[in-house]
Amino acid sequence: MWEPPYHVDDSAPPLPGDFAGQLGALVAAGRRGEVVERFMVEAAEVPVSMLDAMRGHPSWAAMEAVAHTLVYEAAVLGPGNALPAARLAGLTQPTLVLNGGREPGLDGERGRGGGCDGAGGRCGAYCRARRTT
């Protein structure tokens, strides 16, 4: 998993239980930019102060084009993006959690694997990973 935006402790602001539904309604209304903004700020904890620079970057149009996939991601992560510790504890396959280390909140528990230590040693974290495409 690459930087799953689970909220693992009380330091992250809570997300509404129907976050995926709210994003879906915005997509249906053609407000794709708002979907990207909300997901970035509320789920991925990107500081609001960075949004202007992000909107001005050439990649912003591409993010808006795939904004509907953020609805899917929010749905898969579940209500409130809360870490599913019980589900992770039941993992039977090795799992690797990657993070790039520059994202907000990744220097704490989420950066160490998001609490997947409860997975019986079958989950590890590789911090400061680099993703290239």
Side-chain angles (χ1 to χ4, degrees):
M1 296 184 285
W2 180 267
E3 297 178 351
Y6 286 122
H7 289 181
V8 299
D9 59 30
D10 293 337
S11 68
L15 292 175
D18 65 339
F19 188 59
Q22 291 179 22
L23 297 181
L26 291 170
V27 169
R31 296 164 55 188
R32 299 172 82 77
E34 192 172 339
V35 172
V36 175
E37 290 174 11
R38 286 203 55 200
F39 190 90
M40 290 295 189
V41 172
E42 296 175 43
E45 301 176 57
V46 171
V48 173
S49 61
M50 293 181 65
L51 284 179
D52 283 339
M54 291 175 72
R55 277 189 220 100
H57 194 272
S59 66
W60 187 259
M63 288 191 290
E64 285 188 4
V66 296
H68 61 282
T69 66
L70 296 175
V71 178
Y72 310 149
E73 184 166 346
V76 168
L77 289 168
N81 285 25
L83 181 74
R87 182 185 297 169
L88 291 175
L91 288 176
T92 59
Q93 294 295 320
T95 303
L96 181 63
V97 178
L98 302 171
N99 80 58
R102 293 186 195 167
E103 291 71 18
L106 293 180
D107 56 345
E109 181 64 22
R110 186 169 26 150
R112 290 190 299 273
C116 60
D117 293 336
R122 291 178 297 278
C123 184
Y126 182 67
C127 300
R128 312 248 188 277
R130 290 186 55 123
R131 175 179 58 185
T132 59
T133 54

